[in-house]
Amino acid sequence: MKNILVALFAGLAITSAAQAEKIIIKGSDTLGAKLVPQLAEAYKVKNPGTTFEIAAEGSSTGIAAVIDATADLGMASRRAKTKEVSKAASKGVKMSPTVVCYDGIGVIANQGNPIKTLSLKQVEQIFTGDVTDWSAVGGSGGTISIYTRNTSSGTYSSFKKLAMSKRDYAGSSQKMAGNEQIASEVGKNPGGIGYVGMAYLKAPGIRTVPVDGSLPTVANVVSFKYPIARPCFFYTNGGPQGEAKKFVDFIFTPEGSKIVNRVGFVPAK
Amino acid sequence: MNKHLIQAAAFAVAMFVGGSVFASDNEALVNALVKKGILTGQEGEEIRSELLTQSLTSAYGKFNTKADSAVVKLTLFGDVRLRYQWENDGGNFGDVGGNNDRSRWRYRLRAGAVYEFTDNFKSVVRFETGGSNDSTNTNFGGYFDKTNDDIYVGQAYLEWENNDIFDSGLVDYANFAFGKQNMIKRFMMQKAWWDGDINPEGITAQLGWDDIFTDGLDFTLRGGAFITHEVREDRAPTSGDSDSFLGVYQAEVKYSWASKTHFAFAPTALIEFGDKQAQGIGGETMENGGSVASENESDASGEMLVLMVPMQFKYKAFGFSQSTYGTVGYNLDAGSRADFEMASGDDAVANGEGGLFFNVGHKFGKAKEKGTWEMGAEYRYIEEAAYTTNLVDSDWNKAERGAHGVVVKAKYAITDNIYGGVAWLHAQNLESDDAEDPDYSNIVQVDLNWKF
C-alpha cells in the first residue's frame, strides 16, 4: 500500500513538473519593480505550476527582448519607437501592444520644499536646464538638482515627450536606475526635483508637486486632466499566447485590477 | 465603432496629407478619438501600431520603388546654400594683372535619399553641384546660363550596420560601407584636415565596443581604403604609372560621463600607396581637376605617411553646448617630400623639415532650432611638407601649406531649417619673406542656407 501511495504521489509530481510553465518578462522598471511581481505572485496562487522570471532594466530592454525572442512579455512604459518597430519588422516580428494600465508621472520635490505648483512650461524649463534656481519658479531660492531616469527607461522617454517638448535633459541632470532611487535622492536633497510613477509617490521624504494645478490621481489620469500621463504596455510578437496570454487576461480580472489599484496604477479596463 | 473602419479612414486621411506628416496627423486623430471615448485605449494603441507597421512596410503611400518589398524606410534630404565670397591675398596667386581681390556670388545644391532595406542594409545617394573633388559651389553669372550648373554624383554607397556581427557577441557595433561615401561623420576627422566636400571612393569598416573596463568608455576601430588613381591596363602604360590608394586607419577612445559630455581622441594614420607620380597630388597630374588644382604649387611628390591625433572635449556650460577640439600630426615622409620638391626647383622646404601640422579650436552653441546660435574660432598651422593639399579645407589659404592662421565662424538659425552664417578665414605664410608665395590670404564668406 505504501509503495502504491509513493508511486501515486511521484506520478503526480512528475505530471505537475511536466505541466509547469515559465513566463519570462523583461523591461520597464516602472512596471517590473512592484506591479508585475505582485501580479505574478497572485497568479501563482491560482496557477501553482507557473513560474516567472522578471527582469526590470528599462523599457528599451523589454522591447529588444521581444524582438530577439528572449522574453514572452516585454514591459514598457512608453510606446515602441519607429526604429524599434522597423527593426522588428525586418526580423519578421510584429510588435503588438497590450495596455495593462495607465500611469501618471508625478513631479516630486523634497518634502521641505515650499513650492506650491508648477506649470508644464516651468517643468520643461527646469528639466532642460533653462531655469536653475528655485526662485525663478516661485520657490524660496537655491540651486535645483535634477534627478532623472537613464536613457533605457521608458519613463525617461515619456517624460521627455510629454513634459519637455522632446527637448534634451539638462547636462547637470543626474541619471538614476529606477523610480525608487529617484525618490530616495530627492527625499535626501532639499533642492532636488525628479519624477516617478504614481506607485512611488508615497515614498518617504518627498511630496508631489501639482502640474498646471493638477495632481496625478486616478481621476485626473482617467479624465486626461493631468498632462503627464501615459499607457503602460506588455509588448508581444503578434499578441500574447499560451500561458502569457492567460497571465495578461488575469490582469484584467477584478482581482488583477484590485492589485493594479493597490500598487498605485490606473487599471486599463 | 468598428475598429477597421476607423483604421481605414485614418489611413485614407494620411494618404491625402502626405508622407512627411503621416505619423503626427494620425497620432492626433487617434488621440482625439480616444479622448472622446469613441475608441478605447487598447483600440487606439492597436490602430497606432498597425498604421506604423503599414507605413514602414508599405511603399510609403503613393511612392513606389522597384525594390519596394525590400525598402522599409525612405528618407529624402537636401539643402541649398547661397554664398557671397570675398577673397584677398597679399601676393601672387596667379591672378591676372596683379589684382588680388575677388568677390563672387555662389550657390550649391545637394539633394538625395536614404533607402533603408531589410537585414540592416542602407543605401545613400546624393546629387550635388560643383564638379571639383573638394567643392560643391558653382558661381552665378554667364547671363543666367546653365553651363556651369551641372549636377554630379556626390555620394552613392551601400552600408551595413548592426550592434553585432552574425549574433557572435564579439562587438557592440559594426558598420561596413562600400562606394562613394561621406568621411567627416564616418571617421573622427576635423574639417581643417579633410574638406567636408570630399567624398572618398572605396570601402570602410568600423568595429566598436561599448563600456569597456568601465561605464562610458567606448573603443572604435576604423579603416578605409580609397582609390585615388586608376590605371588603364588595356593601354600602353606610362612609365611609373600604377593604381594608387589612400589608406586611413583610426582607433578612437571615447569616454562619456554625463549626457552630451565626452572626451575623445583617435590616433590616425593616413598612408598613400602606389606610384608617387600617379597619385595626382598637384595640378599637373590630377586627373579629375580638384578645385585647387590650379592653385597648388609643385606638389607632385605624393609622399605621405601621416600620423595624427584628433581630439575633442564636448560638454555643456552656461547653458550652451561647448566643444574644444584639435589635431596634431606629422608627415613621416616629410623628408622625402622635401627632397622631391627641392629637386623640382622649389627650395622652400629645407631637407627633412616641415612635416608638422596642428589645429586647436573652440565652438560654443549649436544653431539647430529657431533662434539658436553657434560661434567658433580655430587656429591652424601647417608646415610646407606636412599632409597633402588635396585633402585640407580648400577655403583656408586655398589649401596651400606652409602657413598659419585663424578661422572664425558664426551661424544663426533663422527658423528650424533656414540658417545664416558668416566666416572669416585668414592665413599667413610661415616664411612671409618668400617672394613667390603670398604673404597672406583672406576669405570672407556670408551664407544663407536652407534644408528640406
Side-chain angles (χ1 to χ4, degrees):
Chain A
M1 181 62 176
K2 182 179 170 185
N3 288 341
I4 292 172
L5 283 171
V6 168
L8 181 64
F9 280 117
L12 281 173
I14 291 169
T15 305
S16 297
Q19 290 176 342
E21 293 274 357
K22 184 175 180 181
I23 302 176
I24 302 173
I25 308 176
K26 295 183 181 179
S28 163
D29 172 79
T30 298
L31 296 176
K34 286 186 188 178
L35 176 62
V36 172
Q38 291 191 32
L39 287 166
E41 287 304 314
Y43 184 84
K44 279 196 290 190
V45 169
K46 293 182 175 313
N47 301 272
T50 305
T51 60
F52 287 84
E53 181 183 309
I54 301 172
E57 294 171 358
S59 299
S60 299
T61 65
I63 291 169
V66 172
I67 295 173
D68 295 339
T70 56
D72 300 304
L73 299 170
M75 301 179 286
S77 58
R78 60 163 175 83
R79 293 190 182 100
K81 298 173 187 171
T82 305
K83 200 171 179 179
E84 291 165 331
V85 175
S86 174
K87 184 177 180 182
S90 70
K91 294 192 171 196
V93 172
K94 186 177 188 312
M95 295 297 289
S96 297
T98 302
V99 180
V100 295
C101 63
Y102 290 88
D103 184 31
I105 306 177
V107 175
I108 56 169
N110 185 273
Q111 199 167 26
N113 190 324
I115 191 80
K116 287 193 168 45
T117 184
L118 289 170
S119 67
L120 193 61
K121 184 66 182 172
Q122 288 173 323
V123 170
E124 177 186 330
Q125 288 172 332
I126 289 171
F127 281 89
T128 56
D130 290 347
V131 162
T132 55
D133 195 284
W134 282 107
S135 60
V137 291
S140 57
T143 304
I144 301 175
S145 298
I146 305 167
Y147 297 93
T148 79
R149 297 289 302 281
N150 59 31
T151 54
S152 67
S153 156
T155 309
Y156 172 99
S157 302
S158 296
F159 192 81
K160 188 175 175 182
K161 182 180 176 182
L162 297 168
M164 296 169 61
S165 304
K166 298 184 186 178
R167 292 176 59 196
D168 288 333
Y169 284 88
S172 60
S173 62
Q174 297 168 71
K175 305 289 186 289
M176 299 286 124
N179 290 285
E180 290 177 349
Q181 287 85 342
I182 290 183
S184 171
E185 291 300 318
V186 172
K188 290 185 289 193
N189 186 339
I193 188 169
Y195 53 79
V196 295
M198 286 164 67
Y200 305 88
L201 292 173
K202 294 192 176 74
I206 61 171
R207 53 176 284 259
T208 310
V209 180
V211 177
D212 283 349
S214 177
L215 283 168
T217 62
V218 171
N220 287 341
V221 168
V222 167
S223 63
F224 301 101
K225 192 177 172 192
Y226 185 69
I228 318 175
R230 73 277 174 71
C232 295
F233 306 92
F234 278 157
Y235 274 96
T236 49
N237 179 0
Q241 292 169 14
E243 196 68 24
K245 182 178 189 316
K246 285 161 62 176
F247 175 63
V248 173
D249 290 342
F250 166 76
I251 296 174
F252 300 131
T253 61
E255 184 182 354
S257 296
K258 199 172 169 184
I259 296 171
V260 171
N261 246 324
R262 188 182 70 227
V263 175
F265 291 86
V266 179
K269 297 182 181 177
Chain B
M1 184 178 294
N2 184 291
K3 179 184 78 175
H4 298 288
L5 185 62
I6 293 167
Q7 179 180 333
F11 197 72
V13 169
M15 286 178 68
F16 279 106
V17 170
S20 64
V21 293
F22 184 88
S24 60
D25 271 13
N26 276 334
E27 178 121 9
L29 176 64
V30 174
N31 283 345
L33 293 173
V34 170
K35 279 191 178 177
K36 287 196 174 298
I38 297 171
L39 292 175
T40 64
Q42 178 65 30
E43 286 171 342
E45 294 304 327
E46 287 174 3
I47 289 174
R48 281 193 192 91
S49 178
E50 188 63 38
L51 289 174
L52 178 57
T53 303
Q54 284 186 16
S55 74
L56 290 171
T57 56
S58 73
Y60 322 107
K62 293 293 185 189
F63 290 104
N64 285 294
T65 70
K66 289 211 164 180
D68 62 5
S69 61
V71 181
V72 296
K73 186 176 178 183
L74 169 66
T75 305
L76 303 177
F77 65 88
D79 73 284
V80 176
R81 183 178 68 195
L82 302 180
R83 167 173 284 178
Y84 170 75
Q85 178 163 310
W86 172 77
E87 302 162 26
N88 169 263
D89 59 74
N92 316 324
F93 242 134
D95 298 289
V96 174
N99 180 4
N100 299 317
D101 274 355
R102 183 184 183 186
S103 63
R104 47 187 163 156
W105 290 91
R106 321 184 80 185
Y107 80 94
R108 80 161 180 212
L109 163 67
R110 303 183 302 185
V114 179
Y115 296 84
E116 291 184 40
F117 305 124
T118 57
D119 302 300
N120 302 310
F121 281 97
K122 181 171 81 174
S123 174
V124 175
V125 176
R126 190 175 87 180
F127 300 101
E128 54 197 50
T129 47
S132 307
N133 66 331
D134 55 6
S135 175
T136 49
N137 290 310
T138 189
N139 296 330
F140 285 156
Y143 217 95
F144 325 132
D145 73 350
K146 294 187 277 290
T147 53
N148 292 319
D149 298 335
D150 301 86
I151 294 291
Y152 301 88
V153 176
Q155 292 176 12
Y157 65 90
L158 181 69
E159 182 179 45
W160 182 89
E161 183 177 61
N162 200 10
N163 57 5
D164 199 354
I165 299 180
F166 304 122
D167 297 324
S168 62
L170 292 174
V171 299
D172 295 319
Y173 174 76
N175 181 299
F176 302 95
F178 184 37
K180 191 171 174 66
Q181 54 195 280
N182 58 349
M183 186 66 175
I184 291 291
K185 291 180 182 176
R186 200 168 288 282
F187 282 69
M188 185 180 170
M189 192 75 80
Q190 288 148 23
K191 289 183 181 175
W193 314 116
W194 192 289
D195 190 291
D197 289 324
I198 296 177
N199 298 307
E201 299 156 343
I203 188 165
T204 58
Q206 298 185 61
L207 298 175
W209 294 266
D210 298 335
D211 300 325
I212 53 168
F213 307 126
T214 184
D215 284 348
L217 185 62
D218 303 333
F219 180 69
T220 307
L221 282 175
R222 302 184 180 103
F226 307 113
I227 298 171
T228 54
H229 179 69
E230 190 79 52
V231 170
R232 284 290 300 264
E233 291 89 353
D234 59 340
R235 293 182 179 172
T238 304
S239 172
D241 197 6
S242 65
D243 291 348
S244 301
F245 307 90
L246 172 67
V248 182
Y249 312 100
Q250 185 174 81
E252 180 188 298
V253 177
K254 181 176 172 182
Y255 180 55
S256 309
W257 61 91
S259 174
K260 299 206 183 290
T261 304
H262 71 255
F263 175 74
F265 68 95
T268 306
L270 278 87
I271 308 171
E272 289 187 323
F273 302 96
D275 185 79
K276 60 188 182 206
Q277 294 293 338
Q279 287 178 32
I281 300 174
E284 296 86 359
T285 54
M286 182 174 286
E287 282 194 340
N288 293 320
S291 70
V292 296
S294 62
E295 312 285 6
N296 284 348
E297 301 293 328
S298 57
D299 189 16
S301 69
E303 301 294 345
M304 191 168 84
L305 174 53
V306 164
L307 294 180
M308 58 200 263
V309 184
M311 290 167 278
Q312 183 188 43
F313 177 31
K314 210 166 178 182
Y315 55 100
K316 205 159 181 184
F318 310 110
F320 291 99
S321 62
Q322 313 272 353
S323 174
T324 304
Y325 60 90
T327 297
V328 60
Y330 194 85
N331 181 9
L332 296 176
D333 266 345
S336 301
R337 180 185 284 261
D339 289 344
F340 184 90
E341 292 188 353
M342 286 182 67
S344 304
D346 180 352
D347 59 357
V349 186
N351 257 337
E353 293 180 0
L356 176 68
F357 64 95
F358 66 88
N359 70 315
V360 60
H362 185 82
K363 187 179 98 166
F364 77 89
K366 192 168 179 66
K368 193 174 178 184
E369 296 170 352
K370 179 182 175 181
T372 52
W373 281 93
E374 71 183 51
M375 293 186 190
E378 181 182 322
Y379 173 77
R380 296 179 184 175
Y381 176 95
I382 179 169
E383 293 179 344
E384 194 65 51
Y387 211 56
T388 171
T389 60
N390 290 318
L391 296 177
V392 295
D393 179 2
S394 58
D395 287 328
W396 185 74
N397 202 34
K398 298 186 179 178
E400 270 298 334
R401 295 159 301 157
H404 69 132
V406 295
V407 177
V408 180
K409 292 186 177 182
K411 186 176 172 183
Y412 176 71
I414 301 167
T415 70
D416 286 349
N417 72 314
I418 301 175
Y419 309 91
V422 61
W424 172 52
L425 302 97
H426 172 77
Q428 187 89 27
N429 268 5
L430 290 178
E431 298 190 14
S432 58
D433 57 352
D434 187 327
E436 291 194 5
D437 286 324
D439 286 332
Y440 65 86
S441 165
N442 281 305
I443 294 179
V444 174
Q445 298 168 336
V446 182
D447 294 337
L448 179 66
N449 176 267
W450 61 96
K451 296 182 178 179
F452 50 85

